[in-house]
Amino acid sequence: MFRHKQRPVTTGPMYTVEYAKAALRYETDLMSKAANQTGALNQLNKSVYQLARFYAHDVLSRNEAYNALREAAWSKGEPTYHDFNIKFDEVFENGWLAGFFEQSRVD
């Protein structure tokens, strides 16, 4: 008889607060190095998607990620796109939800 094995729960260093903080530092560094505002929004989408998995494991808050990434996006000065604030929020929310639900589905 064929039996399905239950997928093991991921534990260990990948889902600790320390690892989440290190990942957040890495992603904010990438954000601050974006060449332009379009690049920053593209990087934001990738970064948020990656960071949402830590929220799914309760080791990183949404506000912590949002504030750090927003600060990194503004690190080169005030963005010049007139709607950059709106786009930032839209990209953040979409990436956050996609990353969170993907991680929830996998676990």
Side-chain angles (χ1 to χ4, degrees), residues 53-84:
R53 67 186 165 152
F54 298 108
Y55 178 76
H57 290 275
D58 202 28
V59 292
L60 180 69
S61 76
R62 181 203 171 279
N63 286 341
E64 198 174 2
Y66 179 87
N67 292 333
L69 292 169
R70 190 167 178 85
E71 184 179 321
W74 269 255
S75 66
K76 293 183 181 178
E78 184 69 25
T80 56
Y81 282 2
H82 70 281
D83 60 348
F84 187 81

Side-chain angles (χ1 to χ4, degrees), residues 36-50:
N36 55 41
Q37 291 163 6
T38 301
L41 291 173
N42 289 337
Q43 183 57 52
L44 174 64
N45 190 46
K46 294 173 190 173
S47 294
V48 170
Y49 185 85
Q50 292 298 320

